[in-house]
């Protein structure tokens, strides 16, 4: 299956989407004044868990990391133990679109590069009930940064993620789902090139010989190289955006200090 070829291509990558420890810390810095002393934190679609480790380290509180791919969770557990954070990181192999957490049990819901699997509006609809009144959500989402993207970028994302929105449209959807939009910021290009595409390119080269005998892997590599090439030419028209949201309800402040 082509999906298996893509999973092989992504094995042992530090991240499954653009991001960085610095951008995770920046989002947390902006939200921290609104958090309780020992928040209940849920990281959905955690992948290998780079952001999970940052959250556990910075907040010194337990973080529950959820993903459907068990090898990602095993890798996260090993890294957490190596960093002395094993007691703070709890993993769960589960579908983040159908969680069993009690409603209103989470103070901070985090998700980097994963909500697109549900779609922006649908993800917010499913996840908001997990938050306590005034609870916080930090989510990165692929987003148009212009209303008139180049034709090639528009065609690519029309196929890859047809519901991709703008900052304005995603903000409107968040408000319709019962959130206040506290802040947004665009991830820098380094979050794509240094943290995501550079390791991915190295992985491609390590599999290049194998792909000569594996048509599905060759297809996965070609599609990935097409994506990287597109970003190199048209990356200014789209990017990942951190959306910092607060569930409306008793105790919500509606603004960052």
């Amino acid at each position: 299956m082509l999906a298996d070829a893509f999973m092989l291509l992504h094995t042992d990558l530090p991240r499954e989407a653009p991001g960085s420890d610095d951008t995770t810390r920046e989002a947390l810095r902006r939200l921290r004044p609104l958090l309780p002393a020992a928040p209940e934190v849920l990281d959905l679609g955690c992948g290998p868990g780079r952001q999970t480790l940052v959250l556990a380290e910075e907040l010194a509180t337990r973080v529950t990391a959820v993903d459907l791919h068990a090898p990602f969770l095993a890798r996260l557990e090993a890294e957490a133990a190596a960093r002395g954070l094993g007691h703070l990181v709890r993993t769960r192999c589960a579908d983040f679109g159908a969680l069993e957490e009690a409603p209103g049990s989470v103070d901070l819901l985090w998700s980097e590069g994963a909500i697109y699997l549900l779609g922006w509006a649908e993800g917010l609809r499913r996840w908001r009930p997990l938050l306590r009144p005034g609870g916080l959500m930090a989510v990165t989402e692929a987003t148009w940064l212009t209303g008139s993207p180049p034709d090639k970028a528009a065609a690519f994302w029309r196929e890859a993620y047809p519901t991709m929105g703008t900052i304005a449209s995603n903000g409107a959807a968040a408000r319709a789902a019962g959130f206040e939009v506290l802040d947004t910021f665009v991830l820098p290009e380094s979050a794509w090139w240094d943290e995501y595409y550079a390791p991915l390119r190295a992985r491609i080269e390590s599999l290049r010989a194998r792909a000569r005998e594996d048509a599905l892997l060759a297809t996965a590599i070609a599609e990935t190289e097409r994506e990287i090439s597109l970003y190199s030419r048209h990356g200014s028209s789209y990017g990942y955006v951190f959306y910092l949201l607060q569930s409306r309800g008793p105790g919500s402040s509606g603004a960052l200090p």
Side-chain angles (χ1 to χ4, degrees), residues 4 25 33 35 52 60 105-106 109 118 144 158 173 213 219 250:
D4 294 332
R25 289 191 181 96
L35 286 171
T52 314
S105 62
V106 176
L109 191 155
L118 296 174
W144 288 116
R158 192 160 49 242
E213 308 297 328
T219 297

Side-chain angles (χ1 to χ4, degrees), residues 76-101:
L76 171 56
E77 289 168 359
E79 184 65 21
R83 294 194 189 189
L85 298 170
H87 62 298
L88 296 177
V89 174
R90 179 176 67 180
T91 63
R92 186 187 314 152
C93 193
D95 179 357
F96 66 34
L99 294 170
E100 298 180 355
E101 262 78 11

Side-chain angles (χ1 to χ4, degrees), residues 1-197:
M1 294 177 61
L2 186 57
D4 294 332
F6 274 103
M7 188 58 69
L8 174 63
L9 184 57
H10 281 251
T11 297
D12 294 331
L13 293 182
R15 294 183 177 276
E16 289 302 303
S20 72
D21 291 356
D22 286 345
T23 56
T24 298
R25 289 191 181 96
E26 176 60 20
L28 184 58
R29 182 192 68 78
R30 299 187 190 198
L31 290 178
R32 200 158 188 171
L34 302 178
L35 286 171
E40 187 69 28
V41 183
L42 191 61
D43 182 7
L44 299 184
C46 65
R50 284 287 293 270
Q51 71 288 334
T52 314
L53 297 169
V54 171
L55 294 171
E57 187 174 53
E58 293 291 325
L59 293 171
T61 193
R62 187 180 67 184
V63 180
T64 299
V66 177
D67 203 280
L68 263 178
H69 190 54
F72 286 156
L73 300 177
R75 182 176 172 187
L76 171 56
E77 289 168 359
E79 184 65 21
R83 294 194 189 189
L85 298 170
H87 62 298
L88 296 177
V89 174
R90 179 176 67 180
T91 63
R92 186 187 314 152
C93 193
D95 179 357
F96 66 34
L99 294 170
E100 298 180 355
E101 262 78 11
S105 62
V106 176
D107 297 298
L108 176 61
L109 191 155
W110 206 274
S111 185
E112 296 195 26
I115 196 172
Y116 78 93
L117 291 166
L118 296 174
W120 175 251
E122 181 64 12
L124 296 182
R125 184 188 72 79
R126 293 195 194 190
W127 293 349
R128 181 176 176 267
L130 302 175
L131 291 171
R132 294 191 173 106
L136 302 172
M137 188 182 293
V139 185
T140 66
E141 169 71 328
T143 302
W144 288 116
L145 303 179
T146 176
S148 302
D151 290 344
K152 288 187 177 180
F156 177 90
W157 287 107
R158 192 160 49 242
E159 177 183 346
Y161 191 21
T163 61
M164 190 163 82
T166 63
I167 292 175
S169 68
N170 287 342
R175 287 186 287 273
F179 290 95
E180 295 293 339
V181 180
L182 301 178
D183 209 348
T184 64
F185 64 93
V186 179
L187 272 60
E189 288 188 2
S190 60
W192 291 74
W193 291 118
D194 300 345
E195 302 284 342
Y196 183 52
Y197 282 153

Side-chain angles (χ1 to χ4, degrees), residues 197-218:
Y197 282 153
L200 188 52
R201 278 173 159 169
R203 180 67 175 162
I204 287 172
E205 292 309 313
S206 75
L207 293 170
R208 187 81 70 184
R210 180 171 173 176
R212 296 190 190 104
E213 308 297 328
D214 185 333
L216 290 176
L217 179 57

